[in-house]
Amino acid sequence: MTTIKKEPVDVVIVGFGWTGAIMGMEMTDAGLSVVALERGEKRDTYPDFAYPRIADELTYGIRLKLFQEASKETVTVRHNPGDYAVPYRQFGSFLPGNGVGGAGVHWNGMHWRALPSDLKMHTTVMERYGKSFIPEGMLLQDYPFSYNDLEPFFDKFEKVCGTAGKSGNLQGTIIDGGNPFEGPRMSEYPTPPLKQLYSGALFSQAAKELGYHPFAIPAANCSQPYTNPYGVQLGPCNYCGFCERFGCFMYSKGSPQSTILPVLTQRKNFELRANSMVIKVNLDSSGKKATGVTYVDAQGREIEQPASIVILSAYQLHNVRLLLLSGIGTPYNPQTGEGMVGRNYAYQMNSGISVFFDKDTNFNPFIGAGAAGAVIDDFNSDNFDHSDLGFIGGAYISAVRTGGRPI
């Protein structure tokens, strides 16, 4: 196959979800020429997420149209190092996005910040419980940066999304109604919290009676009309119930399409190429410097895109695989602890319970949003004493109603 060679650019971005869109803005702001490559199709709020098309639960909620299709491309899993790797046939615990916007299109909008102790967990445990509390072989490490280092970027991203919420720690002052365990914020959320649904109100009442600290879930679902720092207008959430696994037709849920693309795609120093599957990061003769990427386009042609900077911003698993296919870095070996590529991959774990109420307690299940609800952080991270518990970390506890769809 003959490889087509494109004209060099300053930056090539691999994967065009949240990270790709943000980096596209940052790089073009710096005056650099940027090409973004996305393996999936091009989508925009209109016409792709227009109502009533997007309120198709069978297509989007059950058949998962916005996600990576496991029958065409999947990942493998093994339960221990001695197992044979077997392929996923149906995604469940994680749902990699596919197409422009990536998982930023189908996420539910819960917009959490890392807690200060999350980023310095090794130091936190050592100082509070001592070295002996950490089991032998546990890979517990601090990040090389702190909450205070990241706070300006948390703040900026919330303003891009128009995140709805209530501060619990504003510049060191604890504020009632917010999360008292959060790190100090430089400013209040861009928009007020979403309206509290009846289930969330009952949860909050019970939590307060038990001495806990309920607050509205931070939501990248605008609670009122809002214009973000890029000049893009967002509309208020209408609690339609078609949020997680769906695109937002109201321009309310923060996504690359609703917050960044209207500006970025108009820039002359930016180009987005969809249906472009990157297969390799190209290296110079030393093997230590990236010179661009090779990808396959929708016509099956192999194309080389030279670039001075290569940014990998796909889903974590795909970034790791691309590094391995390109011969970059040493693969992580869990038996020896050597290697960095693929090391410490982790994913969120959620569990749920069913709660029963008196027959006269009535809810409207069809009203909801991906992040509509109430939550407590009293049992998250190191917000409570683990001395006699034998484990590290924790979780938030919430009552969320995303919407009662027909199927």
Side-chain angles (χ1 to χ4, degrees):
M1 178 185 293
T2 301
T3 300
I4 301 170
K5 190 169 184 177
K6 293 282 191 177
E7 289 295 318
V9 294
D10 295 319
V11 183
V12 62
I13 296 173
V14 180
F16 198 68
W18 268 125
T19 304
I22 292 168
M23 293 307 297
M25 288 294 291
E26 296 294 315
M27 296 295 103
T28 53
D29 277 345
L32 302 177
S33 57
V34 177
V35 167
L37 302 173
E38 166 56 44
R39 67 178 180 176
E41 63 187 72
K42 191 173 183 179
R43 299 191 184 100
D44 207 345
T45 303
Y46 183 84
D48 301 285
F49 310 147
Y51 186 85
R53 173 189 296 180
I54 196 62
D56 180 347
E57 186 182 4
L58 181 61
T59 296
Y60 296 97
I62 306 300
R63 294 177 177 166
L64 309 179
K65 183 178 180 179
L66 298 179
F67 309 139
Q68 177 178 322
E69 190 173 339
S71 64
K72 294 181 178 179
E73 182 185 13
T74 188
V75 297
T76 58
V77 62
R78 53 170 64 90
H79 297 289
N80 62 66
D83 279 356
Y84 285 106
V86 294
Y88 265 90
R89 292 306 183 196
Q90 182 176 349
F91 290 112
S93 63
F94 59 93
L95 297 170
N98 190 48
V100 170
V105 171
H106 72 71
W107 72 317
N108 62 16
M110 287 191 183
H111 199 166
W112 300 106
R113 291 186 175 196
L115 295 170
S117 57
D118 291 336
L119 300 172
K120 298 294 181 182
M121 186 57 75
H122 184 269
T123 297
T124 299
V125 172
M126 290 283 286
E127 291 179 349
R128 187 169 183 180
Y129 308 108
K131 183 178 180 180
S132 61
F133 197 78
I134 303 174
E136 184 178 354
M138 175 178 280
L139 294 176
L140 191 64
Q141 297 173 268
D142 290 344
Y143 283 86
F145 40 76
S146 69
Y147 173 88
N148 289 335
D149 294 328
L150 294 181
E151 203 284 335
F153 303 100
F154 289 146
D155 183 77
K156 181 176 181 178
F157 187 47
E158 288 168 354
K159 287 180 168 63
V160 168
C161 294
T163 302
K166 171 65 177 175
S167 174
N169 184 342
L170 189 58
Q171 299 179 13
T173 300
I174 303 302
I175 300 174
D176 187 46
N179 181 7
F181 301 101
E182 70 176 349
R185 308 169 52 87
M186 69 168 60
S187 61
E188 185 56 89
Y189 282 95
T191 61
L194 291 174
K195 293 180 180 179
Q196 193 57 267
L197 305 179
Y198 187 34
S199 55
L202 292 177
F203 176 91
S204 295
Q205 179 183 346
K208 286 181 179 179
E209 291 174 355
L210 292 170
Y212 302 131
H213 305 84
F215 58 97
I217 295 173
N221 313 87
C222 280
S223 59
Q224 62 187 28
Y226 175 76
T227 301
N228 77 7
Y230 299 137
V232 181
Q233 296 180 336
L234 290 90
C237 176
N238 72 349
Y239 307 88
C240 70
F242 290 86
C243 200
E244 185 173 4
R245 304 190 178 198
F246 300 83
C248 180
F249 66 90
M250 288 292 294
Y251 295 85
S252 306
K253 183 172 67 174
S255 70
Q257 282 86 342
S258 65
T259 62
I260 296 176
L261 266 61
V263 174
L264 180 58
T265 55
Q266 300 303 311
R267 294 184 171 181
K268 294 182 179 180
N269 56 338
F270 176 80
E271 180 185 354
L272 172 60
R273 301 175 194 161
N275 299 303
S276 300
M277 180 69 178
V278 176
I279 57 175
K280 182 174 64 174
V281 177
N282 302 322
L283 306 175
D284 67 4
S285 57
S286 72
K288 296 182 179 180
K289 181 179 179 181
T291 60
V293 300
T294 298
Y295 68 95
V296 177
D297 70 3
Q299 287 74 46
R301 300 175 299 180
E302 189 171 287
I303 299 175
E304 179 184 349
Q305 178 58 67
S308 301
I309 300 172
V310 176
I311 297 174
L312 302 187
S313 58
Y315 192 80
Q316 302 98 311
L317 297 177
H318 302 308
N319 288 338
V320 169
R321 184 178 65 173
L322 193 54
L323 289 171
L324 295 175
L325 290 174
S326 306
I328 299 173
T330 303
Y332 171 61
N333 185 329
Q335 294 176 315
T336 65
E338 298 175 344
M340 291 300 296
V341 180
R343 179 185 175 96
N344 287 351
Y345 173 78
Y347 189 72
Q348 63 187 14
M349 297 296 293
N350 293 317
S351 61
I353 61 171
S354 297
V355 179
F356 297 90
F357 291 87
D358 183 271
K359 64 179 181 179
D360 295 325
T361 302
N362 297 310
F363 301 97
N364 183 343
F366 300 103
I367 294 176
V375 61
I376 60 172
D377 232 14
D378 298 69
F379 299 101
N380 199 3
S381 193
D382 200 53
N383 297 340
F384 59 103
D385 188 359
H386 292 69
S387 298
D388 301 320
L389 300 179
F391 66 88
I392 294 169
Y396 64 77
I397 301 173
S398 65
V400 186
R401 193 163 79 237
T402 60
R405 296 182 287 269
I407 299 177

